[in-house]
Amino acid sequence: MTQQMRDSRAPSAKDPSVKDVAAAAGVSLGTVSNVLNRPSTVSAATRQRVERAMSELGFVRNESARQLRAGRSRALAYVMLDGGNPFFHDVAAGIEPAAEAAGLSLFVCNSDGRADREARHLDLLVQQRVQGILLTPVDPDAPHLAEISRRGIPLVMVGRSNRAGDRCSVTVDDVSGGRIAAEHLVDRGHRRIAFVGGPDSIGQVRDRLRGAREIWAEYGRLAEDLIHLPTEALTVGEGRAAGERLAGLPSRRRPTAAFCANDLLALGLLQHAVSVGLRVPDDLAIIGYDDIDFAAAAAVPLTSVRQPRRELGRTAARLVLDEAADPGHRHEEAAFAPVLVARASTGTIRSHAG
Amino acid sequence: MTQQMRDSRAPSAKDPSVKDVAAAAGVSLGTVSNVLNRPSTVSAATRQRVERAMSELGFVRNESARQLRAGRSRALAYVMLDGGNPFFHDVAAGIEPAAEAAGLSLFVCNSDGRADREARHLDLLVQQRVQGILLTPVDPDAPHLAEISRRGIPLVMVGRSNRAGDRCSVTVDDVSGGRIAAEHLVDRGHRRIAFVGGPDSIGQVRDRLRGAREIWAEYGRLAEDLIHLPTEALTVGEGRAAGERLAGLPSRRRPTAAFCANDLLALGLLQHAVSVGLRVPDDLAIIGYDDIDFAAAAAVPLTSVRQPRRELGRTAARLVLDEAADPGHRHEEAAFAPVLVARASTGTIRSHAG
DNA sequence: TTGTATGCGTTATCAA
DNA sequence: TTGATAACGCATACAA
């Protein structure tokens, strides 16, 4: 059942190198290299001989050696903020084809929102001499990021720009997103709403709340009618917990709608609402943020503020690649606009009964 | 706004090497290496001098050079089958700490269910000389996998074993899982059920259906009362589409419960059911497979057949690491048992009304 | 068109 | 305790 297979090659045999191929083909090492890198400069006859030797020996280029020689790796890296949130995987999915088109591999790492993990990943990536780093940072102004730039490694911020603005970034205006979400709720006639989200250390959360408050004030609503339900993380579980607290409010203070700082919170809140028999959107309207696929897939499809996830990744990749290749590169901030995607969780025009 | 920063080091300056450090510290290159690798053999005074030089120059080891020297990389890789399914990311999350504990990095790749992409990733990984590969394969018997083994690279199958059984694998018995799911529905009194899933080329799907059919037969039910609704992929969208077809069945043939080959399908089906006003579980009970976090988070929490996702990853990592390190390694198949996680989507004991 | 020689940065061996 | 040297596999400049 668990018999060791008799391999055609001893497991300990070392990989054949260009030298071995050269010997087998009866040519010099340089010729083998030419076959690999400038095949047109080699005569058809010898080329075939070399290629035959390569396949017979099972030759595979050693990437470490190539990198050492080249002075840099052929890879990009993306350090995401929360591996449990599909949003970031979608961003990564946008980066990958761009990296591949440039002949580069993509290393995907997850800081999990912890500065120490972020720093550790960054360390490793510098050791690998990656050509560029895409990062959704725990703290966009952390000193260890400046260190990366000082080394001359292209570093692009994804979803957040740093204060100094001295590097490329790809952002979606979170204040504007907060405004859009809140205005949607105002339009739907809600007069008492909740903002669900936290912790406050996350800039995106602060901005979205700020946007919501702006709109709220502009419509002349009372600040106290926009209740902030803080959470400890942007997770489904915290969304559920927020639901409990929301349900516990005295009815005169209870909001008729909730704007969640991301879709995970919104899904948790939705679940809690349904479980206690609330009708969504009639008893409680819910709007999320990010528009991950699971938002559209929810039992009550979730209204959400869409960020162009793949596009973020693609654009960020374009920027690092430019910074890596073009000596005249100038940093730029590519800003995208969030857009509202209205679904059933806030009521459709059709079904809305005032 | 997009001003080029004046770096303390010219962007083109090359990274300092051990040689540079040695020069700066006034010692030989070998001593620097000793500081790095065998600090105890260096006198405290020189060690400090070297360390100071290192930090002043901003020295960072070059991983390529280390790898070239060592003859192998310090990395593991996981090639997942579907990056859009959180299940696989959870497996990866189980691998990572194990890799880290062994001092290895983890490359995560996504074949997206396509053999050519899988092959391409594998190629790249061989070039990188990774120490081992974890793989949820498109086809566990594909010849390019044998090629990996022939090279002596530890290869562990995750969630699927190959026919020959000549390598390590970590599996969860899908037939058994299918049985558990179907029996749960039988227990709930369902006499006509659907199996939603496909394509047939996916072994896991075949096995789960087989298990369901086994139970169905063992309980003396008619084969025709277990309807197979094939899908083209294991996605939310396909789940929704299956819902349409299910609703289109004549009522005498319409199942009262659906067993979905994975949770994404189940979520799609759930959404469709809710959208057409079906009550879940009363009008239609739904059971999924994998028990991803979003199953528990659904508006109607989804009953699912749980696979120990992180544990799969952790165990697979243990096996590759053993194969990579122990010359006396014997291949083994670590088999886990799936377990039912009953939630509201199939009715709870309490609320169940026969 | 092909061959020879050198160096990338690191680690390890050996001699001092 | 420290220093000099070789080797890992590859790509390239240059010579033949």
Side-chain angles (χ1 to χ4, degrees):
Chain A
M1 172 65 66
T2 61
Q3 176 85 29
Q4 181 92 11
M5 202 174 91
R6 191 131 281 312
D7 289 324
S8 57
R9 175 160 35 125
S12 58
K14 88 175 182 22
D15 294 338
S17 71
V18 281
K19 205 193 299 185
D20 300 316
V21 173
V27 299
S28 83
L29 171 165
T31 299
V32 175
S33 185
N34 282 335
V35 169
L36 289 168
N37 303 301
R38 279 118 43 162
S40 64
T41 73
V42 180
S43 78
T46 48
R47 184 170 61 229
Q48 287 181 3
R49 209 142 39 88
V50 170
E51 280 165 349
R52 186 137 164 278
M54 291 204 277
S55 78
E56 273 173 5
L57 293 175
F59 169 80
V60 173
R61 275 156 133 118
N62 182 319
E63 184 65 21
S64 306
R66 299 186 74 189
Q67 286 183 17
L68 176 57
R69 182 64 231 260
R72 61 180 186 173
S73 81
R74 306 188 311 141
L76 250 36
Y78 176 46
V79 183
M80 59 173 72
L81 188 60
D82 176 11
N85 188 344
F87 172 80
F88 295 104
H89 294 285
D90 293 340
V91 172
I95 299 169
E96 221 210 350
E100 186 175 347
L104 303 178
S105 298
L106 176 67
F107 299 157
V108 177
C109 312
N110 172 24
S111 70
D112 218 8
R114 288 167 41 187
D116 59 332
R117 286 196 30 133
E118 177 180 289
R120 169 147 178 65
H121 282 304
L122 258 17
D123 260 8
L124 252 24
L125 295 172
V126 173
Q127 291 181 28
Q128 308 262 13
R129 302 294 194 270
V130 294
Q131 289 198 26
I133 298 176
L134 310 178
L135 170 72
T136 302
V138 174
D139 170 8
D141 298 304
H144 63 261
L145 302 188
E147 173 60 22
I148 301 285
S149 300
R150 200 170 319 119
R151 305 199 90 79
I153 300 176
L155 174 62
V156 173
M157 314 294 272
V158 179
R160 207 66 201 156
S161 66
N162 65 330
R163 207 176 302 279
D166 57 359
R167 47 181 154 255
C168 284
S169 61
V170 179
T171 62
V172 183
D173 185 339
D174 287 304
V175 176
S176 160
R179 294 175 59 94
I180 289 170
E183 188 157 33
H184 176 69
L185 296 180
V186 169
D187 284 349
R188 286 280 183 273
H190 295 282
R191 310 193 63 84
R192 207 161 43 238
I193 69 175
F195 175 83
V196 178
D200 227 48
S201 58
I202 301 178
Q204 286 88 335
V205 173
R206 288 195 306 269
D207 285 357
R208 290 166 197 175
L209 173 55
R210 180 145 66 90
R213 282 184 169 144
E214 283 180 10
I215 280 289
W216 202 243
E218 289 171 21
Y219 275 86
R221 305 300 172 83
L222 271 53
E224 65 193 51
D225 285 336
L226 197 174
I227 300 173
H228 181 189
L229 292 177
T231 62
E232 296 188 356
L234 300 172
T235 61
V236 172
E238 282 290 306
R240 262 191 299 257
E244 304 260 0
R245 276 178 289 146
L246 197 148
L249 292 175
S251 62
R252 57 176 172 74
R253 288 199 60 217
R254 198 175 309 138
T256 58
F259 167 30
C260 298
N262 83 353
D263 287 337
L264 299 183
L265 288 172
L267 289 171
L269 179 59
L270 170 64
Q271 183 183 48
H272 180 268
V274 169
S275 75
V276 298
L278 289 178
R279 287 164 307 160
V280 174
D282 305 278
D283 298 326
L284 179 69
I286 300 176
I287 179 168
Y289 206 106
D290 287 347
D291 194 31
I292 61 176
D293 289 337
F294 288 101
V300 180
L302 213 61
T303 295
S304 192
V305 177
R306 172 166 240 281
Q307 307 203 62
R309 300 158 290 167
R310 285 190 140 78
E311 181 93 20
L312 283 177
R314 184 169 47 238
T315 305
R318 183 172 60 69
L319 293 176
V320 243
L321 290 172
D322 183 73
E323 183 166 352
D326 177 9
H329 170 88
R330 321 224 80 194
H331 295 308
E332 64 182 272
E333 174 161 340
F336 289 89
V339 320
L340 180 81
V341 180
R343 300 200 183 89
S345 73
T346 52
T348 62
I349 300 292
R350 280 192 296 284
S351 72
H352 189 244
Chain B
M1 173 63 67
T2 59
Q3 176 85 30
Q4 180 93 13
M5 201 174 94
R6 191 131 282 312
D7 290 324
S8 58
R9 177 168 24 132
S12 58
K14 85 175 185 17
D15 294 338
S17 71
V18 281
K19 206 193 295 187
D20 300 316
V21 173
V27 300
S28 83
L29 165 170
T31 298
V32 176
S33 181
N34 282 335
V35 170
L36 288 167
N37 303 301
R38 277 122 38 174
S40 65
T41 71
V42 180
S43 77
T46 49
R47 183 170 62 228
Q48 287 181 3
R49 209 142 38 89
V50 169
E51 281 165 347
R52 188 140 162 276
M54 291 203 278
S55 76
E56 274 174 4
L57 294 175
F59 169 80
V60 173
R61 277 155 131 118
N62 182 320
E63 184 66 21
S64 305
R66 300 186 74 188
Q67 286 182 16
L68 176 58
R69 184 62 232 252
R72 59 178 187 175
S73 80
R74 307 188 309 142
L76 249 36
Y78 175 46
V79 183
M80 58 174 70
L81 187 59
D82 176 11
N85 188 343
F87 172 80
F88 295 104
H89 293 285
D90 292 340
V91 172
I95 298 169
E96 220 209 352
E100 186 175 346
L104 303 178
S105 299
L106 176 67
F107 299 157
V108 177
C109 313
N110 172 24
S111 71
D112 218 8
R114 287 167 40 187
D116 59 332
R117 286 196 31 133
E118 177 181 289
R120 168 145 178 66
H121 281 305
L122 258 17
D123 260 8
L124 253 23
L125 295 172
V126 173
Q127 291 180 29
Q128 307 263 13
R129 301 294 194 271
V130 294
Q131 289 199 27
I133 298 176
L134 310 177
L135 171 71
T136 301
V138 174
D139 170 8
D141 297 305
H144 64 261
L145 303 188
E147 173 60 22
I148 301 286
S149 299
R150 199 168 322 119
R151 305 199 89 80
I153 300 176
L155 175 62
V156 173
M157 313 294 272
V158 179
R160 207 66 202 156
S161 67
N162 65 331
R163 208 178 300 280
D166 57 359
R167 47 181 155 254
C168 285
S169 60
V170 179
T171 61
V172 184
D173 186 337
D174 288 303
V175 175
S176 160
R179 293 176 59 95
I180 289 171
E183 188 157 33
H184 177 68
L185 296 180
V186 168
D187 284 350
R188 287 279 183 272
H190 295 282
R191 311 194 62 84
R192 207 161 44 239
I193 68 176
F195 175 83
V196 178
D200 228 47
S201 57
I202 301 177
Q204 286 87 336
V205 173
R206 289 194 306 268
D207 284 356
R208 290 166 198 175
L209 172 54
R210 181 146 67 89
R213 283 184 169 145
E214 283 179 11
I215 281 289
W216 202 244
E218 287 171 22
Y219 275 87
R221 304 299 171 85
L222 271 53
E224 66 194 51
D225 285 336
L226 196 174
I227 299 173
H228 180 190
L229 292 177
T231 62
E232 295 187 356
L234 300 172
T235 62
V236 173
E238 284 289 307
R240 263 192 298 258
E244 303 260 1
R245 277 178 288 148
L246 198 148
L249 292 175
S251 62
R252 55 177 174 73
R253 290 197 60 215
R254 198 174 310 137
T256 58
F259 167 31
C260 297
N262 83 351
D263 286 338
L264 299 184
L265 288 172
L267 289 171
L269 179 59
L270 171 64
Q271 182 183 47
H272 179 268
V274 169
S275 74
V276 298
L278 289 177
R279 288 164 307 161
V280 175
D282 306 277
D283 298 325
L284 178 69
I286 300 176
I287 178 169
Y289 205 106
D290 287 346
D291 195 32
I292 60 176
D293 289 337
F294 288 101
V300 180
L302 213 60
T303 295
S304 192
V305 177
R306 172 167 241 281
Q307 306 202 64
R309 299 157 292 168
R310 284 191 142 77
E311 181 93 19
L312 284 177
R314 184 169 46 241
T315 305
R318 184 172 59 69
L319 292 176
V320 244
L321 290 172
D322 183 73
E323 183 167 350
D326 177 9
H329 171 87
R330 320 224 81 193
H331 295 309
E332 64 181 272
E333 173 162 341
F336 289 89
V339 321
L340 181 81
V341 181
R343 300 200 183 89
S345 72
T346 52
T348 63
I349 301 292
R350 281 191 296 282
S351 72
H352 188 245

